[in-house]
Amino acid sequence: MSYVFLFLSPMQKAAQWLLPCLLLCAAWSCSGFTDESNALNFVQRKVLPRVAPPPKLSTAQSGPMEPWLIQHKYIFACHHKAGVYLMEDLFKIVSGVLGAKDSDMGHWIQPCYPGACFFPEAPFQIWVDLYSYERAQEAREAAGAKGIRVVGIVRDPMSMIVSAYCYHHRGMEPYNIMFFPEGTLLQLGPKEGLKFVAERMLTLVENMTSAFEQPFNDTFHLDYEKVTGSSQGFDDQVEEMMSFLFQDHLPSEQISLVLNITQFVDLHRFPSTSNHTNDEECEDEVRKYVPSLPPELLSRYRSFQERLGYAAT
Ligand SMILES: *[C@@H]1O[C@H](CO)[C@@H](O)[C@H](O)[C@H]1NC(C)=O
Ligand SMILES: *[C@@H]1O[C@H](CO)[C@@H](O)[C@H](O)[C@H]1NC(C)=O
Ligand SMILES: *[C@@H]1O[C@H](CO)[C@@H](O)[C@H](O)[C@H]1NC(C)=O
Ligand SMILES: *[C@@H]1O[C@H](CO)[C@@H](O)[C@H](O)[C@H]1NC(C)=O
């Protein structure tokens, strides 16, 4: 076994080194889920690294290829209940493995919890709960000739609200301001609760829809249903994403390393023991209440579905 290791490239060694670390840290972050006693915990869990920062490749390994400094400004965009955790992991793995410095990696979440927004000018950005058509246009203008490359994760809007109810009803993220007053959703049954989350998430889902309903040649839609549906779907989506983002600006070893390491955040390969995945039973049950949403709200969500190419449910 060890002789095989000798023949691995430095990057493969880095990958091997990273595996136990990723797993350990995943386990570590689970233990942090037990008691959320203050808002800072919430921010740390929601926003700060849940996987260890990947080892930086040395300059010799990464070479002068730093497309985020030269080619484009990169934005990872996600919205609550549409793969925020996954996008944060992909963001950290992609930017970290390619050798971006911490100060090259900016975060922005709305509302901006203490300590959760930093490096607004960084060439790699992750934007949580704020991306919209208008913000995309502003980012395009701000980037000028350099242009932007965006990865946005898109999920069926009706599934987002069903998932939000199940997730918050069992007490997750009590400090999430979107669903204040705190504890409200613990009290509400599925009918009232689904209406509550649908109202609270309306602008956010409208924004996701406006940003992604039409294709842009600088934007890649990461399909939530595909990327979470199977390992094959995960690999296909991440590979397409990488080639969209970097085209031929990176050595193939770097791309392979990123693809290899991202596999650790595929929940089909490494099921999460943390609590943030809902059980299907809850979602199946709550989905039955979709038709009893107030008609106007229901038709808004159905129009989001249609605009994004999902069958209306
Ligand atoms: C990922 O890298 C590890 C270590 O180098 C290797 O054993 C494994 O086969 C790779 N997996 C894939 C899918 O390339
Ligand atoms: C995790 O989920 C279980 C069952 O849904 C629940 O009883 C428990 O309180 C949850 N833990 C946290 C920290 O939310
Ligand atoms: C929705 O988009 C608008 C316009 O860009 C922005 O002002 C607002 O903050 C966004 N809200 C959410 C919740 O995404
Ligand atoms: C994207 O489309 C715009 C026009 O909408 C065009 O000016 C630009 O060259 C295109 N970029 C790429 C990378 O195809």
Side-chain angles (χ1 to χ4, degrees):
M1 205 119 149
S2 57
Y3 88 92
V4 176
F5 190 72
L6 290 175
F7 292 99
L8 296 175
S9 74
M11 282 193 281
Q12 285 171 314
K13 283 183 190 157
Q16 282 212 334
W17 179 87
L18 191 57
L19 170 61
C21 188
L22 277 168
L23 296 178
L24 257 180
C25 298
W28 171 81
S29 79
C30 305
S31 64
F33 270 81
T34 45
D35 182 27
E36 294 173 276
S37 50
N38 61 53
L40 189 61
N41 262 351
F42 165 70
V43 170
Q44 284 171 336
R45 188 166 61 65
K46 172 124 182 162
V47 182
L48 299 183
R50 289 178 308 107
V51 295
K56 309 284 189 238
L57 299 172
S58 73
T59 316
Q61 289 156 19
S62 61
M65 312 287 269
E66 292 182 326
W68 57 95
L69 297 181
I70 305 158
Q71 303 290 343
H72 309 293
K73 177 158 184 167
Y74 292 91
I75 300 169
F76 284 53
C78 51
H79 295 85
H80 189 61
K81 302 318 291 172
V84 171
Y85 281 73
L86 173 64
M87 285 296 268
E88 284 179 355
D89 286 345
L90 291 177
F91 174 72
K92 274 173 237 144
I93 293 172
V94 172
S95 50
V97 171
L98 296 183
K101 296 192 294 291
D102 287 347
S103 58
D104 290 336
M105 295 153 69
H107 288 237
W108 187 14
I109 183 170
Q110 191 172 264
C112 191
Y113 296 91
C117 301
F118 43 91
F119 301 129
E121 303 299 329
F124 265 117
Q125 293 283 327
I126 181 162
W127 292 356
V128 182
D129 293 353
L130 59 92
Y131 200 67
S132 63
Y133 175 80
E134 288 81 7
R135 288 241 163 86
Q137 293 299 84
E138 286 162 18
R140 283 183 185 106
E141 278 162 32
K146 208 173 177 189
I148 53 173
R149 288 295 178 273
V150 181
V151 179
I153 188 161
V154 181
R155 183 180 187 185
D156 178 351
M158 218 65 96
S159 300
M160 288 168 70
I161 56 173
V162 166
S163 169
Y165 174 75
C166 289
Y167 183 70
H168 295 290
H169 180 66
R170 72 186 149 86
M172 299 298 286
E173 291 183 17
Y175 289 95
N176 194 324
I177 287 172
M178 216 184 312
F179 305 100
F180 269 18
E182 194 186 326
T184 307
L185 272 166
L186 294 174
Q187 315 294 328
L188 296 178
K191 184 164 183 278
E192 287 308 310
L194 192 63
K195 172 172 174 280
F196 181 84
V197 296
E199 286 166 351
R200 293 301 176 89
M201 289 172 68
L202 192 63
T203 319
L204 176 146
V205 180
E206 165 70 55
N207 282 358
M208 180 186 82
T209 306
S210 72
F212 300 113
E213 63 187 320
Q214 60 186 107
F216 288 97
N217 62 5
D218 56 13
T219 301
F220 180 76
H221 293 193
L222 195 66
D223 182 317
Y224 178 95
E225 284 75 16
K226 283 187 195 154
V227 79
T228 64
S230 67
S231 291
Q232 185 64 53
F234 182 95
D235 292 349
D236 292 347
Q237 284 282 297
V238 175
E239 197 172 339
E240 277 181 49
M241 173 189 91
M242 287 302 289
S243 70
F244 178 85
L245 289 180
F246 302 108
Q247 293 173 352
D248 49 8
H249 303 315
L250 287 175
S252 60
E253 297 111 302
Q254 280 198 333
I255 301 278
S256 307
L257 179 62
V258 170
L259 296 180
N260 186 306
I261 292 177
T262 55
Q263 294 185 344
F264 296 119
V265 298
D266 166 21
L267 294 180
H268 292 281
R269 292 186 172 93
F270 298 96
S272 169
T273 43
S274 73
N275 233 353
H276 76 267
T277 311
N278 290 323
D279 68 66
E280 278 176 32
E281 222 172 287
C282 177
E283 295 195 352
D284 290 346
E285 182 57 26
V286 172
R287 209 174 279 280
K288 293 178 191 159
Y289 293 87
V290 163
S292 46
L293 283 170
E296 203 171 307
L297 201 52
L298 180 60
S299 74
R300 293 294 301 276
Y301 276 87
R302 284 188 170 149
S303 89
F304 298 148
Q305 287 183 305
E306 279 159 21
R307 287 162 64 188
L308 290 170
Y310 290 96
T313 51

